[in-house]
Amino acid sequence: MPEPVTSVTFPSAFLWGAATSAYQIEGAVREDGRTPSIWDTFSHTPGRTAGGDTGDIAVDHYHRYRDDVALMAELGLSAYRFSVSWPRVQPTGRGPVVQRGLDFYRRLVDELLARGIRPALTLYHWDLPQELEDAGGWPQRDTAFRFAEYARLVGEALGDRVEQWITLNEPWCSAFLGYGSGVHAPGRTDPAASLRAAHHLNLAHGLAASALRSVMPARNEIAISLNSSVVRPLSQDPADIAAARRIDDLANGVFHGPMLHGAYPASLLEATASVTDWSYVLDGDTRTINVPLDALGLNYYTPALVSAASGGTAGPRADGHGASDHSPWPGADDVRFHQTPGERTEMGWTIDPTGLYDLLLRYTREAPGLPLYITENGAAYDDKPGPDGRVHDPERIAYLHDHLAAVRRAITDGADVRGYYLWSLLDNFEWAYGYGKRFGAVYVDYGTLERTPKSSARWYGEVARTGVLPGVEPGV
């Protein structure tokens, strides 16, 4: 456990939130006009998820949202990041919206505002309408234009009440886990398609940001959430440094290059030339992608440690992104991933707050003047109620304390960090891991769907109410 440290105070305007996503918590997958997303199809395909788990019911947030918002208010949260289910509001991915679907999000937003909680709306957290996947999915250019139209429709409906907007959540996962390694929906394993998907996700972001600005008040803030990796070489050997650069390009540069700098890294194009010729990047695309942002969301869990594979042979892919015979790193089969030393969460991810500090300082340099938010950070543990019926999770408290301390240190060192969203508010459907990994600050009994705040929820709520990060005593 950490040694005692001095309490520190965060800026008074700092946002203290929690995050969720639609498919992971809502359930009600066949209600009010909603049609299947790629995750409905994927989770109902035998062998794709642990235990055959699906999000059909999830934690029934669709019917219990008022209670969940009341719980957020009780805990003292000042912000809540949620995602809109695309097939709930535009079932085929094209054409008019279904008002019954939009009405759910209207009710949710109104409930949040009535409780003094700032809504942060993510337009896409991986639930592509299945009909668009049948037409080619993200490797198909038209999907980017369909997304922009969807963004405009949601912006028109909610832009008067929601001020913080996020276009895409972790497009790296959508592109490379969905179309490269196949461990995420739609489960395709085509390296060239994964790079096309990445470009069209970038294009979708730029088009959607412009569409939102055309229909929303100027005060609204438009951002994107990237799971930017902190990629470290195993040694200072030039081959290991080169390997880290290649993974950094595929994890980070493929998105922040065009978004922040208006171009893909030349080193990325060169390293992937054997996979694709990038001919789908048309004139004007990078200008469209390079639309000005109001803020940047960063999701962080653990750093990556890589080296060149010895003897020119491919190394094992211990990258923390699920088991597959196919790699999510196109053109980098000769890079070996290593488990970083230290304590690990139930996901097998090493706990290393220094990576979060490094990430914040990196983007302070990459995009000077651009406000930053931690839009996801958290840990999965094997949480269980004790004899007293309470759920004590001291490991999560220690995890949160140390990562929040890293955020505060980054602010002191010049990073303009405006808020922190804990992942996650509730235990939920954890994608291909099913219900086997609990990230929530609130425990959910999956049999009864009863919610029980864990000790970490109470601890985090006190930090949120006071803005003070206390010292952690041994044994907490």
Side-chain angles (χ1 to χ4, degrees):
M1 291 295 174
E3 293 298 316
V5 296
T6 304
S7 298
V8 295
T9 302
F10 279 75
S12 59
F14 196 83
L15 284 178
W16 296 96
T20 64
S21 86
Y23 189 71
Q24 292 180 274
I25 68 166
E26 284 182 3
V29 297
R30 298 175 187 87
E31 292 188 32
D32 294 334
R34 185 188 180 279
T35 57
S37 74
I38 55 175
W39 268 98
D40 292 280
T41 302
F42 187 85
S43 65
H44 279 270
T45 302
R48 290 297 200 178
T49 64
D53 291 343
T54 75
D56 287 4
I57 298 172
V59 298
D60 196 34
H61 175 72
Y62 192 76
H63 299 112
R64 300 167 187 253
Y65 72 93
R66 288 189 177 90
D67 292 339
D68 290 339
V69 173
L71 184 55
M72 296 177 218
E74 177 193 335
L75 293 174
L77 302 186
S78 57
Y80 173 55
R81 177 182 171 230
F82 64 94
S83 77
V84 171
S85 168
W86 189 349
R88 193 178 293 288
V89 303
Q90 195 189 33
T92 66
R94 61 185 81 237
V97 298
V98 171
Q99 291 300 329
R100 288 172 298 168
L102 267 178
D103 284 345
F104 168 71
Y105 299 104
R106 291 186 176 105
R107 294 191 300 270
L108 173 61
V109 167
D110 289 346
E111 194 75 16
L112 290 166
L113 293 174
R115 295 278 189 167
I117 299 170
R118 177 180 175 177
L121 187 156
T122 302
L123 283 165
Y124 186 73
H125 200 128
W126 307 350
D127 47 1
L128 185 72
Q130 182 61 44
E131 190 163 319
L132 289 185
E133 173 59 25
D134 293 342
W138 286 112
Q140 172 61 244
R141 184 179 180 88
D142 183 63
T143 305
F145 292 89
R146 302 286 65 75
F147 180 71
E149 175 63 11
Y150 156 68
R152 183 184 66 79
L153 293 168
V154 180
E156 288 174 338
L158 296 170
D160 61 332
R161 283 162 290 169
V162 177
E163 296 185 2
Q164 189 171 34
W165 291 72
I166 295 165
T167 55
L168 304 172
N169 178 77
E170 298 187 357
W172 185 88
C173 294
S174 298
F176 297 107
L177 300 184
Y179 295 92
S181 66
V183 299
H184 277 195
R188 290 162 61 179
T189 54
D190 181 341
S194 71
L195 288 165
R196 288 198 307 275
H199 176 65
H200 294 143
L201 283 155
N202 284 335
L203 185 62
H205 158 73
L207 292 167
S210 296
L212 289 172
R213 287 207 170 95
S214 74
V215 298
M216 296 198 311
R219 69 174 184 270
N220 288 2
E221 180 180 82
I222 297 174
I224 187 169
S225 288
L226 301 177
N227 57 320
S228 297
S229 293
V230 177
V231 185
R232 295 166 173 166
L234 183 65
S235 75
Q236 292 305 301
D237 184 287
D240 289 353
I241 293 173
R245 172 60 185 270
R246 288 167 65 192
I247 297 302
D248 186 79
D249 279 346
L250 286 165
N252 304 320
V254 67
F255 298 109
H256 77 223
M259 288 180 188
L260 301 180
H261 309 305
Y264 287 101
S267 51
L268 169 70
L269 304 182
E270 180 182 355
T272 56
S274 63
V275 180
T276 181
D277 61 6
W278 293 88
S279 59
Y280 40 83
V281 181
L282 305 185
D283 288 347
D285 280 3
T286 52
R287 287 194 301 276
T288 298
I289 298 165
N290 189 218
V291 63
L293 289 169
D294 300 307
L296 178 63
L298 297 172
N299 298 353
Y300 172 80
Y301 293 96
T302 192
L305 186 65
V306 304
S307 70
S310 59
T313 58
R317 194 174 55 76
D319 63 357
H321 292 299
S324 172
D325 292 335
H326 302 272
S327 173
W329 307 101
D333 289 340
D334 57 348
V335 174
R336 182 186 297 268
F337 286 80
H338 301 265
Q339 176 70 55
T340 52
E343 295 184 31
R344 303 177 192 176
T345 69
E346 282 294 309
M347 296 293 289
W349 298 343
T350 302
I351 303 167
D352 188 347
T354 68
L356 180 54
Y357 172 85
D358 290 347
L359 187 67
L360 291 169
L361 269 291
R362 174 183 183 165
Y363 280 96
T364 298
R365 297 188 299 269
E366 287 274 353
L370 187 63
L372 305 174
Y373 291 88
I374 304 303
T375 42
E376 284 186 28
N377 177 239
Y381 289 105
D382 186 19
D383 304 313
K384 295 182 177 69
D388 59 359
R390 299 179 181 179
V391 183
H392 299 281
D393 56 343
E395 301 91 349
R396 185 174 287 104
I397 292 175
Y399 179 101
L400 294 176
H401 176 275
D402 291 352
H403 284 78
L404 287 169
V407 173
R408 189 63 184 88
R409 184 162 67 95
I411 293 172
T412 299
D413 292 346
D416 183 11
V417 188
R418 304 282 181 90
Y420 177 94
Y421 290 88
L422 166 67
W423 186 269
S424 176
L425 175 68
L426 303 161
D427 289 337
N428 55 46
F429 176 78
E430 188 50 41
W431 307 114
Y433 295 96
Y435 294 97
K437 307 294 183 184
R438 293 181 178 269
F439 276 90
V442 175
Y443 179 87
V444 178
D445 181 319
Y446 294 129
T448 66
L449 299 179
E450 181 181 358
R451 277 80 157 135
T452 302
K454 304 173 188 177
S455 55
S456 62
R458 303 297 185 191
W459 180 91
Y460 181 65
E462 183 64 19
V463 175
R465 278 189 293 270
T466 64
V468 176
L469 181 64
V472 172
E473 300 296 332
V476 166

